Amino acid sequence: GMSPASYVSLSFASPQGAPTRSNNPTGGETGDGQEKGQGYENAITSAVAFFYQGNNGVNSDGSTKIMAVATFNVESPTEPGNGIDRKYTTSPQQVDLENGTYNVLVVANYGADWWTGKTLTLADVRNHIQTTAWTASGSDYSNFVMTSAADATLTLNSNSEDDPATATVDVERMAARLD
């Protein structure tokens, strides 16, 4: 029969202080390789979320099936203070998944749609992001790829458009392998 669908909204939090980009080949936030990001690197205009159920977040087995993909329009940011520099929120989108808890890998400013009509695994998504991040042209800042720094989860429970399931995602410039 018809599976229930839920509406989902994402929030992106940009911590206060100099926006950073990772310049550390081992990844993570504690390396010595932080440098101040540019304004255009930190603006978020679009986002895509890949839903899956993994046992280790973004580092789950590469064969983990992507169960749904949703694209989001991002609204103008607010400046809430309290340690948050800017917060972006998306319009709610319908996601055709059964009720339950899912991992979400979010990519901001994703550029072209490459996933439609494909059966994807988590490895496919990680590898595509990796490739895209390194091929961004030095002069074209419109497609700056940012990914969720930490694994996000969402619990869907037939959420209405007025009361969407929400996840807050910290994003960072993609500069190291996800796995």
Side-chain angles (χ1 to χ4, degrees):
M2 292 283 294
S3 65
S6 288
Y7 281 87
V8 170
S9 175
L10 304 175
S11 293
F12 298 95
S14 178
Q16 233 157 18
T20 58
R21 68 166 112 159
S22 173
N23 192 22
N24 171 358
T26 60
E29 293 294 288
T30 54
D32 58 0
Q34 298 293 8
E35 63 183 72
K36 187 170 174 20
Q38 303 302 315
Y40 53 73
E41 296 181 15
N42 300 293
I44 299 174
T45 56
S46 62
V48 58
F50 298 91
F51 293 80
Y52 62 98
Q53 289 179 319
N55 55 7
N56 192 24
V58 75
N59 294 314
S60 297
D61 190 276
S63 63
T64 302
K65 182 181 185 317
I66 299 297
M67 301 169 75
V69 183
T71 56
F72 295 86
N73 294 319
V74 179
E75 295 161 5
S76 297
T78 58
E79 297 179 13
N82 286 334
I84 300 296
D85 182 29
R86 277 184 294 185
K87 182 176 182 183
Y88 294 85
T89 305
T90 70
S91 315
Q93 284 287 7
Q94 194 170 346
V95 179
D96 295 317
L97 285 172
E98 299 284 345
N99 290 339
T101 300
Y102 297 87
N103 298 92
V104 189
L105 174 58
V106 177
V107 181
N109 302 344
Y110 55 82
D113 168 343
W114 54 272
W115 53 83
T116 298
K118 295 185 175 146
T119 301
L120 294 173
T121 64
L122 187 55
D124 292 333
V125 175
R126 288 191 306 225
N127 292 340
H128 185 89
I129 293 167
Q130 189 64 29
T131 306
T132 305
W134 288 112
T135 55
S137 140
S139 60
D140 178 10
Y141 293 112
S142 59
N143 286 1
F144 232 78
V145 178
M146 289 182 278
T147 61
S148 42
D151 191 56
T153 57
L154 263 177
T155 298
L156 305 182
N157 188 24
S158 302
N159 301 80
S160 68
E161 190 168 7
D162 294 336
D163 186 24
T166 57
T168 298
V169 181
D170 291 319
V171 292
E172 64 182 19
R173 170 76 169 93
M174 174 65 203
R177 280 194 66 87
L178 285 165
D179 52 3

